[in-house]
Each structure stands twice: as C-alpha cells, then as structure tokens.
Amino acid sequence: RERFRQISADEFQDIDPAQYRLLTLLAGPAGNLCVIGDPDQAIYGFRGADAACFARFAADYPAARTLRLGRNYRSGGLIVEASAALVGRALGEGVVAMRAPGEPVVLHAAASEAAEAGYVAATIAALMGGHDMLAASHAGERLGFADFAVLYRTDAQAAPLREALDAAGIPFKKSSPAALA
C-alpha cells in the first residue's frame, strides 16, 4: 500500500475473485483505485472472470465515481445499434456513434464452431462471386483473397477456420502475436 499509492486496473470485467482480492489488498479500504472496463464485454467466465466485480467494487468503494463513455469513435452507427441490440440495451442509454453508418451488420447464429467457420468461408466465397478466378467483383469492386481478414478472439477458433478455409479452397495466412513481434 505504501509503494503503490494509485492503482489502475484495465479490462476489469476480465478479473477473477483472486485478482479482485489482490487489488483490494493493495488499495485498502480508502485506497486510490481506478477500474476501467465494460461488463457487457465480459467473455472470460470460463476461466473464472466475474463481471459481477463491478457491483462488488461499487459496494466496497461507495465513494468511487462512475464515468461512462458515451461516444463511440471506433464504430459506425449500424455497429453501435447492433451491439446495443445484442446486449439488450436501448441506444437511449447514451452511446452515440461518431462515425457515419456503414453496411448493415449481419448476425449469424451458428450451431457449432465448425458451422461458424463454414459460414465465414462461404461468405468470403460469395463476396468474391466464387473463387475459380483470383478476383471477382462485388458491388462494382474487384475483390481478391487479400481483401479479406478474419479476426477472432481466441486461438482455439483457428483450427475450425483453417479447416473450413482449406475445404473451400481459400488460401490464408495466420498471423499471431508471436509472429508480429
């Protein structure tokens, strides 16, 4: 407590009970603790993270101020609307997209990881108009394989994607943090 007078914890929604306990021990009951996160982005419950930490923090530190960021500079209006609908929130809660709207967001519920990966491969092939040739057109634009990137959250999703892209004859290159370092 004497060494760390101010503590900041980012991605607070991803902490587990032991990490929460460590933060409170370091900060103490009147400590200067700043937490940053979004309970709607909590995805690590499978490894012990608990988004209820926000409620616990509010109870443990009742004098703490809450600041909500209401402007989204990263995503267009359609993305903001789709994410609000997905988490069951009305846009009236204050999130405003600062970018112009883009193409509509498609939400696809897949039955399995393999089905999800197959959908990704089929979507790429459809946008290219098939891939018998190296490039095709979509909405008047010529698209090639290099025009697509598939982003995923965990490396466990890589294997089904690799299999689906291989099966569809779509070439790919996997980049990982180790490869980028």
Side-chain angles (χ1 to χ4, degrees), residues 101-149:
E103 291 189 28
V105 174
V106 175
L107 179 61
H108 175 77
S112 67
E113 290 177 346
E116 179 181 49
Y119 177 78
V120 169
T123 299
I124 292 170
L127 286 170
M128 290 185 65
H131 53 278
D132 295 342
M133 302 167 58
L134 293 180
S137 63
H138 170 71
E141 294 182 46
R142 298 216 16 109
L143 298 176
F145 292 123
D147 293 311
F148 296 91

mmCIF file of all heavy atoms in Angstrom, residues 101-149:
data_model
loop_
_atom_site.group_PDB
_atom_site.id
_atom_site.type_symbol
_atom_site.label_atom_id
_atom_site.label_comp_id
_atom_site.label_asym_id
_atom_site.label_seq_id
_atom_site.Cartn_x
_atom_site.Cartn_y
_atom_site.Cartn_z
ATOM 1 N N PRO A 101 -22.716 5.835 -40.732
ATOM 2 C CA PRO A 101 -23.112 4.421 -40.855
ATOM 3 C C PRO A 101 -22.425 3.755 -42.042
ATOM 4 O O PRO A 101 -22.100 4.406 -43.028
ATOM 5 C CB PRO A 101 -24.622 4.472 -41.091
ATOM 6 C CG PRO A 101 -25.037 5.885 -40.932
ATOM 7 C CD PRO A 101 -23.817 6.745 -40.904
ATOM 8 N N GLY A 102 -22.235 2.453 -41.915
ATOM 9 C CA GLY A 102 -21.646 1.661 -42.997
ATOM 10 C C GLY A 102 -22.658 0.647 -43.491
ATOM 11 O O GLY A 102 -23.863 0.867 -43.429
ATOM 12 N N GLU A 103 -22.154 -0.485 -43.982
ATOM 13 C CA GLU A 103 -23.050 -1.537 -44.448
ATOM 14 C C GLU A 103 -23.765 -2.175 -43.268
ATOM 15 O O GLU A 103 -23.263 -2.164 -42.150
ATOM 16 C CB GLU A 103 -22.248 -2.595 -45.208
ATOM 17 C CG GLU A 103 -21.720 -2.091 -46.530
ATOM 18 C CD GLU A 103 -21.120 -3.200 -47.373
ATOM 19 O OE1 GLU A 103 -21.542 -4.361 -47.236
ATOM 20 O OE2 GLU A 103 -20.224 -2.899 -48.170
ATOM 21 N N PRO A 104 -24.943 -2.753 -43.511
ATOM 22 C CA PRO A 104 -25.686 -3.390 -42.423
ATOM 23 C C PRO A 104 -24.878 -4.521 -41.776
ATOM 24 O O PRO A 104 -24.080 -5.182 -42.425
ATOM 25 C CB PRO A 104 -26.924 -3.961 -43.114
ATOM 26 C CG PRO A 104 -27.023 -3.239 -44.410
ATOM 27 C CD PRO A 104 -25.636 -2.820 -44.781
ATOM 28 N N VAL A 105 -25.103 -4.711 -40.500
ATOM 29 C CA VAL A 105 -24.455 -5.776 -39.745
ATOM 30 C C VAL A 105 -25.304 -7.034 -39.872
ATOM 31 O O VAL A 105 -26.520 -6.987 -39.737
ATOM 32 C CB VAL A 105 -24.318 -5.384 -38.260
ATOM 33 C CG1 VAL A 105 -23.771 -6.536 -37.438
ATOM 34 C CG2 VAL A 105 -23.452 -4.156 -38.129
ATOM 35 N N VAL A 106 -24.646 -8.150 -40.134
ATOM 36 C CA VAL A 106 -25.342 -9.421 -40.220
ATOM 37 C C VAL A 106 -25.000 -10.233 -38.980
ATOM 38 O O VAL A 106 -23.831 -10.424 -38.657
ATOM 39 C CB VAL A 106 -24.917 -10.203 -41.490
ATOM 40 C CG1 VAL A 106 -25.554 -11.573 -41.525
ATOM 41 C CG2 VAL A 106 -25.266 -9.403 -42.730
ATOM 42 N N LEU A 107 -26.013 -10.685 -38.285
ATOM 43 C CA LEU A 107 -25.815 -11.537 -37.122
ATOM 44 C C LEU A 107 -26.181 -12.952 -37.532
ATOM 45 O O LEU A 107 -27.299 -13.211 -37.980
ATOM 46 C CB LEU A 107 -26.699 -11.071 -35.956
ATOM 47 C CG LEU A 107 -26.617 -11.891 -34.688
ATOM 48 C CD1 LEU A 107 -25.202 -11.888 -34.121
ATOM 49 C CD2 LEU A 107 -27.598 -11.352 -33.658
ATOM 50 N N HIS A 108 -25.225 -13.866 -37.411
ATOM 51 C CA HIS A 108 -25.438 -15.252 -37.802
ATOM 52 C C HIS A 108 -25.189 -16.148 -36.594
ATOM 53 O O HIS A 108 -24.089 -16.159 -36.052
ATOM 54 C CB HIS A 108 -24.495 -15.644 -38.943
ATOM 55 C CG HIS A 108 -24.569 -17.081 -39.317
ATOM 56 N ND1 HIS A 108 -25.600 -17.589 -40.077
ATOM 57 C CD2 HIS A 108 -23.765 -18.124 -39.029
ATOM 58 C CE1 HIS A 108 -25.415 -18.888 -40.241
ATOM 59 N NE2 HIS A 108 -24.302 -19.230 -39.615
ATOM 60 N N ALA A 109 -26.210 -16.862 -36.168
ATOM 61 C CA ALA A 109 -26.066 -17.800 -35.046
ATOM 62 C C ALA A 109 -25.745 -19.169 -35.632
ATOM 63 O O ALA A 109 -26.544 -19.749 -36.364
ATOM 64 C CB ALA A 109 -27.348 -17.853 -34.226
ATOM 65 N N ALA A 110 -24.572 -19.686 -35.318
ATOM 66 C CA ALA A 110 -24.128 -20.974 -35.845
ATOM 67 C C ALA A 110 -24.318 -22.060 -34.793
ATOM 68 O O ALA A 110 -24.202 -21.807 -33.593
ATOM 69 C CB ALA A 110 -22.665 -20.894 -36.261
ATOM 70 N N ALA A 111 -24.575 -23.255 -35.250
ATOM 71 C CA ALA A 111 -24.825 -24.386 -34.348
ATOM 72 C C ALA A 111 -23.550 -24.910 -33.698
ATOM 73 O O ALA A 111 -23.607 -25.555 -32.652
ATOM 74 C CB ALA A 111 -25.529 -25.507 -35.110
ATOM 75 N N SER A 112 -22.402 -24.654 -34.307
ATOM 76 C CA SER A 112 -21.137 -25.176 -33.780
ATOM 77 C C SER A 112 -19.990 -24.318 -34.299
ATOM 78 O O SER A 112 -20.177 -23.473 -35.176
ATOM 79 C CB SER A 112 -20.932 -26.628 -34.234
ATOM 80 O OG SER A 112 -20.739 -26.671 -35.644
ATOM 81 N N GLU A 113 -18.792 -24.577 -33.756
ATOM 82 C CA GLU A 113 -17.612 -23.859 -34.243
ATOM 83 C C GLU A 113 -17.362 -24.161 -35.716
ATOM 84 O O GLU A 113 -17.002 -23.284 -36.491
ATOM 85 C CB GLU A 113 -16.393 -24.251 -33.426
ATOM 86 C CG GLU A 113 -16.406 -23.738 -32.013
ATOM 87 C CD GLU A 113 -15.197 -24.229 -31.213
ATOM 88 O OE1 GLU A 113 -14.504 -25.163 -31.656
ATOM 89 O OE2 GLU A 113 -14.948 -23.649 -30.143
ATOM 90 N N ALA A 114 -17.565 -25.419 -36.098
ATOM 91 C CA ALA A 114 -17.357 -25.805 -37.499
ATOM 92 C C ALA A 114 -18.364 -25.105 -38.407
ATOM 93 O O ALA A 114 -18.010 -24.643 -39.499
ATOM 94 C CB ALA A 114 -17.458 -27.322 -37.649
ATOM 95 N N ALA A 115 -19.606 -25.007 -37.959
ATOM 96 C CA ALA A 115 -20.634 -24.328 -38.754
ATOM 97 C C ALA A 115 -20.321 -22.835 -38.874
ATOM 98 O O ALA A 115 -20.505 -22.237 -39.939
ATOM 99 C CB ALA A 115 -22.013 -24.535 -38.133
ATOM 100 N N GLU A 116 -19.831 -22.243 -37.806
ATOM 101 C CA GLU A 116 -19.452 -20.835 -37.835
ATOM 102 C C GLU A 116 -18.311 -20.611 -38.832
ATOM 103 O O GLU A 116 -18.352 -19.697 -39.656
ATOM 104 C CB GLU A 116 -19.033 -20.382 -36.441
ATOM 105 C CG GLU A 116 -18.594 -18.934 -36.368
ATOM 106 C CD GLU A 116 -18.157 -18.538 -34.967
ATOM 107 O OE1 GLU A 116 -17.342 -19.279 -34.357
ATOM 108 O OE2 GLU A 116 -18.620 -17.502 -34.492
ATOM 109 N N ALA A 117 -17.308 -21.456 -38.781
ATOM 110 C CA ALA A 117 -16.175 -21.341 -39.689
ATOM 111 C C ALA A 117 -16.611 -21.570 -41.131
ATOM 112 O O ALA A 117 -16.147 -20.882 -42.051
ATOM 113 C CB ALA A 117 -15.082 -22.334 -39.293
ATOM 114 N N GLY A 118 -17.503 -22.521 -41.339
ATOM 115 C CA GLY A 118 -18.037 -22.766 -42.678
ATOM 116 C C GLY A 118 -18.782 -21.561 -43.219
ATOM 117 O O GLY A 118 -18.681 -21.232 -44.405
ATOM 118 N N TYR A 119 -19.523 -20.892 -42.355
ATOM 119 C CA TYR A 119 -20.240 -19.680 -42.746
ATOM 120 C C TYR A 119 -19.255 -18.595 -43.178
ATOM 121 O O TYR A 119 -19.474 -17.899 -44.168
ATOM 122 C CB TYR A 119 -21.119 -19.187 -41.594
ATOM 123 C CG TYR A 119 -21.842 -17.900 -41.885
ATOM 124 C CD1 TYR A 119 -22.989 -17.885 -42.672
ATOM 125 C CD2 TYR A 119 -21.368 -16.701 -41.387
ATOM 126 C CE1 TYR A 119 -23.649 -16.703 -42.947
ATOM 127 C CE2 TYR A 119 -22.017 -15.503 -41.655
ATOM 128 C CZ TYR A 119 -23.163 -15.504 -42.436
ATOM 129 O OH TYR A 119 -23.801 -14.330 -42.707
ATOM 130 N N VAL A 120 -18.161 -18.447 -42.448
ATOM 131 C CA VAL A 120 -17.144 -17.443 -42.790
ATOM 132 C C VAL A 120 -16.570 -17.748 -44.178
ATOM 133 O O VAL A 120 -16.470 -16.867 -45.038
ATOM 134 C CB VAL A 120 -16.022 -17.394 -41.729
ATOM 135 C CG1 VAL A 120 -14.838 -16.561 -42.207
ATOM 136 C CG2 VAL A 120 -16.564 -16.858 -40.406
ATOM 137 N N ALA A 121 -16.197 -19.002 -44.408
ATOM 138 C CA ALA A 121 -15.622 -19.388 -45.708
ATOM 139 C C ALA A 121 -16.632 -19.187 -46.835
ATOM 140 O O ALA A 121 -16.287 -18.659 -47.901
ATOM 141 C CB ALA A 121 -15.150 -20.836 -45.660
ATOM 142 N N ALA A 122 -17.883 -19.574 -46.604
ATOM 143 C CA ALA A 122 -18.920 -19.410 -47.631
ATOM 144 C C ALA A 122 -19.183 -17.939 -47.923
ATOM 145 O O ALA A 122 -19.428 -17.555 -49.076
ATOM 146 C CB ALA A 122 -20.202 -20.102 -47.189
ATOM 147 N N THR A 123 -19.122 -17.096 -46.908
ATOM 148 C CA THR A 123 -19.346 -15.665 -47.092
ATOM 149 C C THR A 123 -18.228 -15.054 -47.936
ATOM 150 O O THR A 123 -18.491 -14.256 -48.838
ATOM 151 C CB THR A 123 -19.452 -14.949 -45.729
ATOM 152 O OG1 THR A 123 -20.564 -15.508 -45.008
ATOM 153 C CG2 THR A 123 -19.655 -13.457 -45.897
ATOM 154 N N ILE A 124 -16.993 -15.445 -47.665
ATOM 155 C CA ILE A 124 -15.872 -14.944 -48.474
ATOM 156 C C ILE A 124 -16.051 -15.372 -49.926
ATOM 157 O O ILE A 124 -15.920 -14.557 -50.849
ATOM 158 C CB ILE A 124 -14.520 -15.435 -47.909
ATOM 159 C CG1 ILE A 124 -14.246 -14.773 -46.561
ATOM 160 C CG2 ILE A 124 -13.383 -15.152 -48.903
ATOM 161 C CD1 ILE A 124 -13.066 -15.359 -45.806
ATOM 162 N N ALA A 125 -16.359 -16.641 -50.132
ATOM 163 C CA ALA A 125 -16.549 -17.137 -51.499
ATOM 164 C C ALA A 125 -17.698 -16.401 -52.196
ATOM 165 O O ALA A 125 -17.583 -16.017 -53.362
ATOM 166 C CB ALA A 125 -16.816 -18.640 -51.471
ATOM 167 N N ALA A 126 -18.797 -16.161 -51.481
ATOM 168 C CA ALA A 126 -19.941 -15.467 -52.076
ATOM 169 C C ALA A 126 -19.601 -14.014 -52.420
ATOM 170 O O ALA A 126 -20.002 -13.513 -53.476
ATOM 171 C CB ALA A 126 -21.131 -15.519 -51.121
ATOM 172 N N LEU A 127 -18.870 -13.338 -51.546
ATOM 173 C CA LEU A 127 -18.499 -11.951 -51.811
ATOM 174 C C LEU A 127 -17.567 -11.837 -53.009
ATOM 175 O O LEU A 127 -17.548 -10.822 -53.705
ATOM 176 C CB LEU A 127 -17.841 -11.319 -50.578
ATOM 177 C CG LEU A 127 -18.797 -10.989 -49.437
ATOM 178 C CD1 LEU A 127 -18.022 -10.608 -48.179
ATOM 179 C CD2 LEU A 127 -19.759 -9.876 -49.840
ATOM 180 N N MET A 128 -16.807 -12.893 -53.247
ATOM 181 C CA MET A 128 -15.915 -12.895 -54.408
ATOM 182 C C MET A 128 -16.634 -13.361 -55.663
ATOM 183 O O MET A 128 -16.068 -13.312 -56.744
ATOM 184 C CB MET A 128 -14.714 -13.797 -54.133
ATOM 185 C CG MET A 128 -13.774 -13.224 -53.097
ATOM 186 S SD MET A 128 -12.309 -14.236 -52.891
ATOM 187 C CE MET A 128 -11.549 -14.071 -54.497
ATOM 188 N N GLY A 129 -17.859 -13.825 -55.510
ATOM 189 C CA GLY A 129 -18.573 -14.368 -56.658
ATOM 190 C C GLY A 129 -18.038 -15.731 -57.031
ATOM 191 O O GLY A 129 -18.054 -16.132 -58.181
ATOM 192 N N GLY A 130 -17.547 -16.463 -56.036
ATOM 193 C CA GLY A 130 -16.871 -17.738 -56.259
ATOM 194 C C GLY A 130 -15.383 -17.459 -56.309
ATOM 195 O O GLY A 130 -14.954 -16.316 -56.364
ATOM 196 N N HIS A 131 -14.599 -18.500 -56.299
ATOM 197 C CA HIS A 131 -13.155 -18.248 -56.342
ATOM 198 C C HIS A 131 -12.455 -19.146 -57.349
ATOM 199 O O HIS A 131 -11.368 -19.628 -57.125
ATOM 200 C CB HIS A 131 -12.536 -18.363 -54.952
ATOM 201 C CG HIS A 131 -12.833 -19.642 -54.244
ATOM 202 N ND1 HIS A 131 -13.994 -19.831 -53.572
ATOM 203 C CD2 HIS A 131 -12.135 -20.769 -54.115
ATOM 204 C CE1 HIS A 131 -13.999 -21.055 -53.043
ATOM 205 N NE2 HIS A 131 -12.883 -21.638 -53.369
ATOM 206 N N ASP A 132 -13.113 -19.308 -58.492
ATOM 207 C CA ASP A 132 -12.464 -20.021 -59.585
ATOM 208 C C ASP A 132 -11.369 -19.146 -60.198
ATOM 209 O O ASP A 132 -10.410 -19.638 -60.755
ATOM 210 C CB ASP A 132 -13.473 -20.393 -60.670
ATOM 211 C CG ASP A 132 -14.508 -21.391 -60.166
ATOM 212 O OD1 ASP A 132 -14.255 -22.040 -59.137
ATOM 213 O OD2 ASP A 132 -15.574 -21.504 -60.792
ATOM 214 N N MET A 133 -11.547 -17.840 -60.064
ATOM 215 C CA MET A 133 -10.562 -16.896 -60.573
ATOM 216 C C MET A 133 -9.917 -16.217 -59.369
ATOM 217 O O MET A 133 -10.400 -16.329 -58.250
ATOM 218 C CB MET A 133 -11.253 -15.864 -61.469
ATOM 219 C CG MET A 133 -11.989 -16.520 -62.641
ATOM 220 S SD MET A 133 -13.100 -15.389 -63.491
ATOM 221 C CE MET A 133 -12.016 -14.099 -63.987
ATOM 222 N N LEU A 134 -8.842 -15.520 -59.571
ATOM 223 C CA LEU A 134 -8.162 -14.869 -58.460
ATOM 224 C C LEU A 134 -8.890 -13.638 -57.956
ATOM 225 O O LEU A 134 -8.659 -13.179 -56.860
ATOM 226 C CB LEU A 134 -6.730 -14.504 -58.842
ATOM 227 C CG LEU A 134 -5.811 -15.695 -59.066
ATOM 228 C CD1 LEU A 134 -4.419 -15.204 -59.447
ATOM 229 C CD2 LEU A 134 -5.737 -16.568 -57.827
ATOM 230 N N ALA A 135 -9.772 -13.083 -58.751
ATOM 231 C CA ALA A 135 -10.523 -11.922 -58.309
ATOM 232 C C ALA A 135 -11.893 -11.931 -58.956
ATOM 233 O O ALA A 135 -12.084 -12.479 -60.031
ATOM 234 C CB ALA A 135 -9.783 -10.641 -58.661
ATOM 235 N N ALA A 136 -12.849 -11.369 -58.290
ATOM 236 C CA ALA A 136 -14.205 -11.241 -58.808
ATOM 237 C C ALA A 136 -14.694 -9.865 -58.407
ATOM 238 O O ALA A 136 -13.963 -9.079 -57.821
ATOM 239 C CB ALA A 136 -15.091 -12.341 -58.238
ATOM 240 N N SER A 137 -15.940 -9.567 -58.709
ATOM 241 C CA SER A 137 -16.429 -8.244 -58.342
ATOM 242 C C SER A 137 -17.563 -8.360 -57.349
ATOM 243 O O SER A 137 -18.318 -9.329 -57.342
ATOM 244 C CB SER A 137 -16.884 -7.474 -59.580
ATOM 245 O OG SER A 137 -17.967 -8.136 -60.186
ATOM 246 N N HIS A 138 -17.649 -7.382 -56.481
ATOM 247 C CA HIS A 138 -18.732 -7.260 -55.507
ATOM 248 C C HIS A 138 -19.090 -5.793 -55.444
ATOM 249 O O HIS A 138 -18.236 -4.952 -55.179
ATOM 250 C CB HIS A 138 -18.274 -7.762 -54.130
ATOM 251 C CG HIS A 138 -19.249 -7.445 -53.040
ATOM 252 N ND1 HIS A 138 -20.452 -8.074 -52.943
ATOM 253 C CD2 HIS A 138 -19.190 -6.560 -52.025
ATOM 254 C CE1 HIS A 138 -21.103 -7.588 -51.891
ATOM 255 N NE2 HIS A 138 -20.361 -6.671 -51.328
ATOM 256 N N ALA A 139 -20.346 -5.490 -55.729
ATOM 257 C CA ALA A 139 -20.831 -4.103 -55.707
ATOM 258 C C ALA A 139 -19.939 -3.207 -56.568
ATOM 259 O O ALA A 139 -19.613 -2.086 -56.195
ATOM 260 C CB ALA A 139 -20.909 -3.593 -54.279
ATOM 261 N N GLY A 140 -19.534 -3.735 -57.724
ATOM 262 C CA GLY A 140 -18.727 -2.945 -58.644
ATOM 263 C C GLY A 140 -17.247 -2.899 -58.324
ATOM 264 O O GLY A 140 -16.488 -2.292 -59.052
ATOM 265 N N GLU A 141 -16.826 -3.516 -57.233
ATOM 266 C CA GLU A 141 -15.410 -3.518 -56.863
ATOM 267 C C GLU A 141 -14.816 -4.889 -57.137
ATOM 268 O O GLU A 141 -15.464 -5.901 -56.930
ATOM 269 C CB GLU A 141 -15.235 -3.219 -55.370
ATOM 270 C CG GLU A 141 -15.661 -1.829 -54.957
ATOM 271 C CD GLU A 141 -15.407 -1.604 -53.480
ATOM 272 O OE1 GLU A 141 -14.313 -1.953 -53.002
ATOM 273 O OE2 GLU A 141 -16.311 -1.092 -52.817
ATOM 274 N N ARG A 142 -13.568 -4.907 -57.589
ATOM 275 C CA ARG A 142 -12.889 -6.183 -57.786
ATOM 276 C C ARG A 142 -12.300 -6.610 -56.460
ATOM 277 O O ARG A 142 -11.592 -5.848 -55.815
ATOM 278 C CB ARG A 142 -11.814 -6.056 -58.848
ATOM 279 C CG ARG A 142 -12.447 -5.674 -60.161
ATOM 280 C CD ARG A 142 -11.914 -6.223 -61.422
ATOM 281 N NE ARG A 142 -11.048 -7.338 -61.459
ATOM 282 C CZ ARG A 142 -11.408 -8.548 -61.905
ATOM 283 N NH1 ARG A 142 -12.632 -8.779 -62.280
ATOM 284 N NH2 ARG A 142 -10.533 -9.507 -61.979
ATOM 285 N N LEU A 143 -12.604 -7.821 -56.037
ATOM 286 C CA LEU A 143 -12.104 -8.351 -54.774
ATOM 287 C C LEU A 143 -11.192 -9.536 -55.024
ATOM 288 O O LEU A 143 -11.460 -10.370 -55.875
ATOM 289 C CB LEU A 143 -13.264 -8.796 -53.880
ATOM 290 C CG LEU A 143 -14.260 -7.728 -53.453
ATOM 291 C CD1 LEU A 143 -15.400 -8.347 -52.649
ATOM 292 C CD2 LEU A 143 -13.562 -6.661 -52.636
ATOM 293 N N GLY A 144 -10.126 -9.604 -54.265
ATOM 294 C CA GLY A 144 -9.223 -10.743 -54.283
ATOM 295 C C GLY A 144 -9.087 -11.286 -52.874
ATOM 296 O O GLY A 144 -9.611 -10.721 -51.912
ATOM 297 N N PHE A 145 -8.388 -12.392 -52.731
ATOM 298 C CA PHE A 145 -8.229 -13.006 -51.412
ATOM 299 C C PHE A 145 -7.592 -12.042 -50.414
ATOM 300 O O PHE A 145 -7.911 -12.071 -49.225
ATOM 301 C CB PHE A 145 -7.392 -14.280 -51.513
ATOM 302 C CG PHE A 145 -8.092 -15.384 -52.265
ATOM 303 C CD1 PHE A 145 -7.504 -15.958 -53.377
ATOM 304 C CD2 PHE A 145 -9.325 -15.853 -51.847
ATOM 305 C CE1 PHE A 145 -8.134 -16.977 -54.062
ATOM 306 C CE2 PHE A 145 -9.968 -16.873 -52.523
ATOM 307 C CZ PHE A 145 -9.375 -17.435 -53.636
ATOM 308 N N ALA A 146 -6.726 -11.169 -50.888
ATOM 309 C CA ALA A 146 -6.042 -10.231 -49.990
ATOM 310 C C ALA A 146 -6.975 -9.157 -49.439
ATOM 311 O O ALA A 146 -6.591 -8.407 -48.552
ATOM 312 C CB ALA A 146 -4.869 -9.576 -50.718
ATOM 313 N N ASP A 147 -8.200 -9.080 -49.930
ATOM 314 C CA ASP A 147 -9.156 -8.087 -49.445
ATOM 315 C C ASP A 147 -9.903 -8.552 -48.200
ATOM 316 O O ASP A 147 -10.749 -7.819 -47.680
ATOM 317 C CB ASP A 147 -10.176 -7.742 -50.540
ATOM 318 C CG ASP A 147 -9.535 -7.016 -51.699
ATOM 319 O OD1 ASP A 147 -8.795 -6.041 -51.432
ATOM 320 O OD2 ASP A 147 -9.757 -7.415 -52.859
ATOM 321 N N PHE A 148 -9.608 -9.751 -47.715
ATOM 322 C CA PHE A 148 -10.347 -10.305 -46.581
ATOM 323 C C PHE A 148 -9.416 -10.571 -45.404
ATOM 324 O O PHE A 148 -8.282 -10.999 -45.582
ATOM 325 C CB PHE A 148 -11.031 -11.626 -46.983
ATOM 326 C CG PHE A 148 -12.063 -11.437 -48.046
ATOM 327 C CD1 PHE A 148 -11.735 -11.550 -49.378
ATOM 328 C CD2 PHE A 148 -13.372 -11.126 -47.701
ATOM 329 C CE1 PHE A 148 -12.678 -11.363 -50.366
ATOM 330 C CE2 PHE A 148 -14.325 -10.940 -48.675
ATOM 331 C CZ PHE A 148 -13.984 -11.053 -50.022
ATOM 332 N N ALA A 149 -9.938 -10.305 -44.226
ATOM 333 C CA ALA A 149 -9.261 -10.657 -42.978
ATOM 334 C C ALA A 149 -10.316 -11.250 -42.060
ATOM 335 O O ALA A 149 -11.432 -10.748 -41.985
ATOM 336 C CB ALA A 149 -8.630 -9.435 -42.328
#
